[in-house]
Amino acid sequence: MSAATDGELRDERTLRTSPLRKLLARPELGSVVGALAVLVFFALAADGFLRAASLSTVLYASSTIGIMAVPVALLMIGGEFDLSAGVLVTSSALISSMFSYQTTANTWVGVGVSLLVTLAIGAFNGFVLTRTRLPSFIVTLGTFLMLTGMNLGFTKLIDGTVSTKTIADMEGFPSAHAVFASTLTLGGVDVRVTVLWWFALVALGSWILLRTRAGNWIFAVGGNQDAARAVGVPVARTKIALYTGVAFGAWVSGQHLLFSFDAVQSGEGVGNELIYIIAAVIGGCLITGGYGSAVGSAVGALLFGMTSKGIVFAEWNPDWFKFFLGAMLLLATLLNAWVRKRAEATK
């Protein structure tokens, strides 16, 4: 057999991959380019945007979105999405607050009960989805409506108003505030603890996707669940776990909401689920599943934070924010599609 023939038969997985091909294959490439462009734009348009205090504010705004964007991105890579994610954050905070207040228990008891109930709601979404084979749009829209009504109904029934009572004077509040809502000083710059939660979830999500069998299952289920099931991937278990992951992110965000203000408005969170999905899509996730990264969702959340705060620093009318958000979504999606085509062309 000739050397040429032998080379032609060699498995392509053993061939060396060029740095350019590796770069073009990264799902978050388009969002990184967009983030750099937005950073330069607001650095020129807004005085003081690059100051340490301003960047700290941007990171905080990004982290409140990014904490949820990571599990939402993993869910989208798995081929599904969750319309109840926004109100689930509020539900988590309400459960923690009302349980602690009504039982006069240590606030950590309410935090623990909230974790169990929130995870159960996430698992319920995944269970109904896998058992009924209904689209995730229908299942999670139903959960969204039920939670929205329950948040308002139970808060009025138990507390008599649309907001919970303050729990700032209850036992355990200071330590819970330190875990979920404190401000740290790092190098002379104030950094909210949510930024650390965000970074930790990005690292965990990246590790799951790139270094574990579960990550392979997520990509397989999102790419073609029937083919994945045929080769032994536990499709139902994977999807239930992904919805439970979204619930965990909602629990973290909900506790931050509660311990930042010591009371919660029952109508908060409606519409935020779209922001989480937008951050994931800007970061390179496909609506159809099977493609994306946790790092990309973080960049998408960072874009959201830079835009929302950059408009303020530039002293523009904040009414334009939604316009910029929509423009970023379209441009990032187009850029991501172009990057994918270039990556496929270099194979």
Side-chain angles (χ1 to χ4, degrees):
M1 183 180 293
S2 66
T5 304
D6 181 64
E8 291 171 358
L9 295 177
R10 205 184 316 166
D11 191 335
E12 65 176 5
R13 292 172 295 179
T14 66
L15 300 177
R16 296 176 63 86
T17 303
S18 69
L20 177 60
R21 184 181 297 179
K22 289 181 178 180
L23 180 63
L24 289 175
R26 295 301 307 167
E28 64 274 5
L29 176 60
S31 60
V32 170
V33 173
L36 291 174
V38 171
L39 177 65
V40 172
F41 176 78
F42 281 114
L44 297 175
D47 293 335
F49 182 76
L50 293 181
R51 292 175 184 169
S54 300
L55 294 177
S56 175
T57 302
V58 168
L59 278 177
Y60 172 59
S62 302
S63 68
T64 58
I65 302 300
I67 287 174
M68 284 299 295
V70 172
V72 167
L74 265 64
L75 179 63
M76 290 180 65
I77 295 170
E80 307 294 345
F81 58 93
D82 191 347
L83 293 180
S84 67
V87 292
L88 186 55
V89 171
T90 306
S91 298
S92 173
L94 290 172
I95 293 167
S96 181
S97 176
M98 288 191 289
F99 188 90
S100 297
Y101 187 86
Q102 294 300 320
T103 61
T104 63
N106 188 297
T107 55
W108 280 105
V109 177
V111 169
V113 171
S114 175
L115 175 61
L116 294 177
V117 175
T118 306
L119 293 179
I121 294 172
F124 170 80
N125 278 336
F127 178 78
V128 172
L129 179 82
T130 56
R131 294 291 293 181
T132 64
R133 302 289 184 92
L134 289 172
S136 56
F137 174 84
I138 297 298
V139 173
T140 59
L141 178 60
T143 308
F144 162 81
L145 294 173
M146 289 190 292
L147 289 177
T148 302
M150 290 172 64
N151 288 349
L152 182 60
F154 274 116
T155 305
K156 280 188 173 182
L157 178 65
I158 295 174
D159 290 328
T161 64
V162 296
S163 64
T164 62
K165 301 292 194 298
T166 179
I167 60 170
D169 57 348
M170 296 188 65
E171 183 182 359
F173 184 90
S175 58
H177 178 273
V179 172
F180 295 107
S182 60
T183 301
L184 310 174
T185 301
L186 303 175
V189 179
D190 290 338
V191 178
R192 298 296 295 269
V193 72
T194 50
V195 176
L196 302 183
W197 275 102
W198 178 32
F199 288 171
L201 287 175
V202 171
L204 177 61
S206 297
W207 177 75
I208 290 174
L209 286 176
L210 303 177
R211 294 288 184 267
T212 69
R213 180 184 299 177
N216 293 332
W217 291 346
I218 293 171
F219 282 110
V221 168
N224 188 323
Q225 68 173 2
D226 292 329
R229 185 180 290 108
V231 297
V233 173
V235 174
R237 189 170 50 175
T238 299
K239 291 194 174 186
I240 292 173
L242 289 172
Y243 275 103
T244 305
V246 173
F248 178 79
W251 173 74
V252 174
S253 296
Q255 303 317 296
H256 169 68
L257 177 66
L258 171 61
F259 291 104
S260 291
F261 304 103
D262 67 57
V264 185
Q265 294 286 333
S266 59
E268 293 185 25
V270 176
N272 285 351
E273 62 280 345
L274 296 180
I275 295 176
Y276 307 146
I277 293 173
I278 288 171
V281 172
I282 289 176
C285 291
L286 295 180
I287 295 292
T288 52
Y291 189 79
S293 70
V295 173
S297 73
V299 179
L302 183 61
L303 270 165
F304 178 94
M306 286 194 294
T307 303
S308 62
K309 298 305 176 184
I311 289 175
V312 175
F313 293 138
E315 299 182 352
W316 296 345
N317 188 333
D319 293 339
W320 287 96
F321 169 67
K322 290 293 179 66
F323 170 81
F324 280 99
L325 189 61
M328 282 194 307
L329 175 62
L330 288 176
L331 291 174
T333 303
L334 291 172
L335 184 56
N336 289 335
W338 179 82
V339 168
R340 288 195 69 207
K341 287 182 180 178
R342 294 289 297 175
E344 291 172 356
T346 58
K347 290 182 179 179

